[in-house]
Amino acid sequence: MARSPSMKKQFRDAEATQKQILDAAELEFAKHGIKGARMSDIADRAQITTATIHYYFENKEGLYKAVLQRPVNEVQAMVSQLKLDDLSPEDALKQIIRVAIAYEAKNPRRQMLWFQEASQNQGFYFKQSNVESLHEHLIKVLNRGMEAGCFRSLDPVLTLTHILSVCIFYFTVHENWKHLNSGSDRLSKEMVEKHTEAAIKFILAAVKNST
């Protein structure tokens, strides 16, 4: 059954409200973690009532889980559109690197969110966010590359860790490293593109079969 105009508006309004809540909660959780963040502060930042938060997310734990799940869902949607199976292993790897860096550049504060989760909860909620579904794409590309002989023999899981470190550490340390070269905006379009191209060359040099 098709939605009426009023139903469509209500749906859009609900989506907008939930995004508003998640955006505000993400900032608070990134600063304070789940233990230190307060629902009243999240409500104030989102310019809504705490009752509205409870209506959509039930409680702070439910909201926190939704905040952690959102980036996983967003990146999953982006990677699914790449059609990696239609690309060579090398081109597929390049695409994954580009998506990973572009996403972090757009959301540079999310690394602190993951840090808070590791520090406060030792990954208790992280393991519930189905991050493995994202890792599977990269592991599949690495395995395809090894089978085709264009990648050298690798430990896929360890190599995944190394690749993500090369891509993401740049943003993890941004707030510290920006002081080392105050004349350069490390989050500018030009600097992020420079980081992207350097990361691609570095990673491919590490994984390609030289024989």
Side-chain angles (χ1 to χ4, degrees):
M1 184 177 68
R3 291 193 181 103
S4 67
S6 62
M7 289 175 65
K8 288 180 179 179
K9 184 177 186 303
Q10 289 175 3
F11 181 76
R12 288 196 301 269
D13 289 347
E15 276 193 326
T17 301
Q18 288 179 66
K19 182 182 183 303
Q20 199 172 335
I21 295 169
L22 289 169
D23 288 345
E26 183 175 289
L27 290 173
E28 291 298 318
F29 287 137
K31 284 184 177 181
H32 308 292
I34 187 173
K35 295 178 181 177
R38 300 194 308 176
M39 295 289 269
S40 58
D41 291 337
I42 294 170
D44 288 345
R45 185 181 288 275
Q47 298 182 332
I48 56 171
T49 64
T50 54
T52 303
I53 298 178
H54 288 294
Y55 174 78
Y56 286 108
F57 298 99
E58 189 174 354
N59 53 37
K60 185 164 74 168
E61 183 181 47
L63 177 57
Y64 184 70
K65 288 179 179 179
V67 166
L68 289 184
Q69 187 64 47
R70 181 167 65 159
V72 176
N73 293 345
E74 289 176 350
V75 176
Q76 184 69 270
M78 293 169 65
V79 174
S80 297
Q81 294 176 1
L82 297 178
K83 298 182 178 179
L84 298 175
D85 290 343
D86 296 337
L87 302 175
S88 69
E90 184 174 326
D91 286 341
L93 180 54
K94 288 179 182 179
Q95 288 291 81
I96 289 174
I97 294 168
R98 289 190 181 280
V99 165
I101 293 176
Y103 188 79
E104 293 301 323
K106 186 179 178 181
N107 305 282
R109 293 185 179 87
R110 285 189 175 161
Q111 284 307 305
M112 183 53 68
L113 181 69
W114 298 118
F115 173 81
Q116 291 283 8
E117 167 61 12
S119 177
Q120 286 193 4
N121 310 311
Q122 293 75 54
F124 177 79
Y125 294 100
F126 174 82
K127 67 183 179 183
Q128 301 177 37
S129 59
N130 197 27
V131 176
E132 292 92 342
S133 64
L134 294 180
H135 295 172
E136 288 171 0
H137 297 289
L138 180 50
I139 289 175
K140 185 176 181 180
V141 168
L142 294 173
N143 282 328
R144 279 206 297 127
M146 287 188 285
E147 290 169 5
C150 54
F151 293 167
R152 64 183 179 84
S153 180
L154 301 162
D155 178 328
V157 176
L158 191 56
T159 303
L160 176 144
T161 304
H162 294 157
I163 290 172
L164 293 181
S165 298
V166 170
C167 295
I168 295 173
F169 185 73
Y170 181 95
F171 303 99
T172 306
V173 299
H174 166 67
E175 291 298 333
N176 289 331
W177 283 30
K178 68 182 181 182
H179 301 292
L180 300 181
N181 188 354
S182 56
S184 176
D185 179 5
R186 291 168 54 85
L187 296 183
S188 69
K189 182 179 178 180
E190 293 75 17
M191 286 296 294
V192 171
E193 182 59 29
K194 184 177 180 180
H195 167 50
T196 303
E197 295 307 316
I200 288 173
K201 291 179 181 178
F202 187 86
I203 291 167
L204 286 178
V207 304
K208 287 177 70 174
N209 193 343
S210 59
T211 59

